[in-house]
Amino acid sequence: MSQAAASSRAGTGLVLAVLGAIAFSGKAIIVKLAYRYGVDPVTLIMYRMLFALPIFAAMAWWASRGKARLSGRDWAGVVGLGVTGYYLASFLDFAGLQYVSASLERLILYLNPTLVVLLGVLLYRKSITRLQVAGMVVSYAGVLLVFGHEVGLQGPQAAFGTALIFGSAVSYAVYLVYSGQMVKRLGSLRLVGLATTVACLCCLLQFVLLRPLEVALTVAPQVIWLSVLNAILCTAVPVLLVMMAIERVGAALTAQTGMIGPMSTILMGALLLGEPFTAWVAAGTALVLAGIYLFTRPSPAQ
């Protein structure tokens, strides 16, 4: 490949990574907008997963063509990962967004790499470097700064919402920790397609068990359109964009580009939701981004 072609490929990869990060970050904005129409989390996530189900089912089918059938053990793993990594993580996130700002939600979820490493330490006794410890201290200090400011504005409900969203981050970290071997056996696209299909079915079943079917017919039309937008633009499309970015520029650079996500959430929250952008939010965001940068930076020994 010529240098010009390589540069063009890298530039395309960076654009895809940026667009994927921004699209992912828009999910919280759409959820907050939908809550303005009186919808509850169970109904809202049902609609999001209902519209996303055909996309993920098609993804699973496409990635499974010509591959061996899954064993019973594989299906058990797919179901377990779908429940923890996508169903539970998504529902806790949706529920928490009732009580906290989109900005705080994004900063909490951005702590995910630290949770993955901590689970590795607890479950597999993996080592952790001093640089990673320093990065964790800085990033968690940033979240606590924004959290303290929000509790002062919103009261105890902000603490409840923060706990729900942190639980979402932990649930997704569990998925990442345990998905390694499954990815090697099934491939990333096949696993994501199957696991997200399981999560969609769980959300539909949850609605059927907890809500009368009439509830689905009484939501505002805006909720339907926002759910379609959420399912396509903020769920399926960014998955594909990030995967194409990783193919072109690698996982490390794609992950670093993801730092745009929290900043775009804060910007959209201020413009579309009227969320206040204060010095506390700016300082907390800077600390979180700096901390995660330190945390993910290779140590001299490595």
Side-chain angles (χ1 to χ4, degrees):
M1 182 182 297
S2 67
Q3 184 175 357
S7 299
S8 176
R9 181 179 175 84
T12 302
L14 286 175
V15 170
L16 292 171
V18 169
L19 293 176
I22 294 173
F24 267 130
S25 66
K27 177 259 302 173
I29 306 300
I30 291 177
V31 171
K32 297 287 284 186
L33 287 172
Y35 279 144
R36 294 181 174 181
Y37 297 97
V39 66
D40 66 275
V42 173
T43 305
L44 184 59
I45 198 170
M46 180 277 293
Y47 268 118
R48 178 213 189 188
M49 294 306 203
L50 176 65
F51 295 126
L53 177 57
I55 301 172
F56 287 127
M59 184 187 300
W61 170 80
W62 179 268
S64 299
R65 294 175 309 141
K67 304 290 180 62
R69 291 185 177 182
L70 271 65
S71 65
R73 180 185 174 188
D74 287 334
W75 275 116
V78 166
V79 171
L81 293 174
V83 170
T84 57
Y86 292 103
Y87 161 67
L88 185 58
S90 295
F91 180 70
L92 291 175
D93 184 37
F94 271 54
L97 277 167
Q98 295 178 103
Y99 309 106
V100 302
S101 67
S103 302
L104 179 56
E105 180 257 9
R106 182 51 47 185
L107 292 179
I108 294 171
L109 295 183
Y110 203 63
L111 297 175
N112 197 262
T114 69
L115 297 174
V116 171
V117 170
L118 286 176
L119 285 173
V121 172
L122 294 174
L123 297 175
Y124 304 114
R125 296 184 179 181
K126 291 186 176 181
S127 60
I128 184 170
T129 67
R130 293 181 179 180
L131 190 62
Q132 287 176 321
V133 172
M136 288 180 62
V137 171
V138 174
S139 58
Y140 279 78
V143 169
L144 288 174
L145 187 64
V146 179
F147 167 72
H149 175 65
E150 193 144 320
V151 168
L153 295 176
Q154 305 291 339
Q157 67 174 10
F160 181 58
T162 297
L164 290 172
I165 293 171
F166 189 76
S168 170
V170 172
S171 181
Y172 192 67
V174 170
Y175 162 80
L176 292 176
V177 168
Y178 284 106
S179 64
Q181 292 301 317
M182 292 289 292
V183 168
K184 292 179 181 178
R185 290 203 303 273
L186 305 183
S188 60
L189 185 61
R190 190 182 188 189
L191 178 59
V192 169
L194 290 170
T196 48
T197 298
V198 168
C200 290
L201 295 175
C202 286
C203 290
L204 296 176
L205 179 62
Q206 175 181 256
F207 177 82
V208 171
L209 295 176
L210 299 180
R211 297 287 186 272
L213 294 179
E214 294 78 17
V215 172
L217 302 176
T218 58
V219 299
Q222 293 88 341
V223 173
I224 304 296
W225 291 113
L226 286 169
S227 297
V228 171
L229 189 64
N230 198 350
I232 297 174
L233 187 61
C234 301
T235 304
V237 169
V239 168
L240 297 175
L241 289 175
V242 169
M243 291 185 70
M244 289 189 292
I246 290 174
E247 182 183 0
R248 287 164 172 78
V249 297
L253 186 55
T254 301
Q256 291 174 8
T257 307
M259 287 186 175
I260 293 173
M263 293 184 287
S264 63
T265 300
I266 292 170
L267 179 60
M268 287 188 288
L271 295 177
L272 300 178
L273 302 175
E275 292 183 352
F277 180 69
T278 65
W280 295 97
V281 174
T285 302
L287 286 173
V288 171
L289 295 178
I292 296 300
Y293 174 77
L294 286 175
F295 186 85
T296 56
R297 187 179 178 184
S299 65
Q302 293 171 319

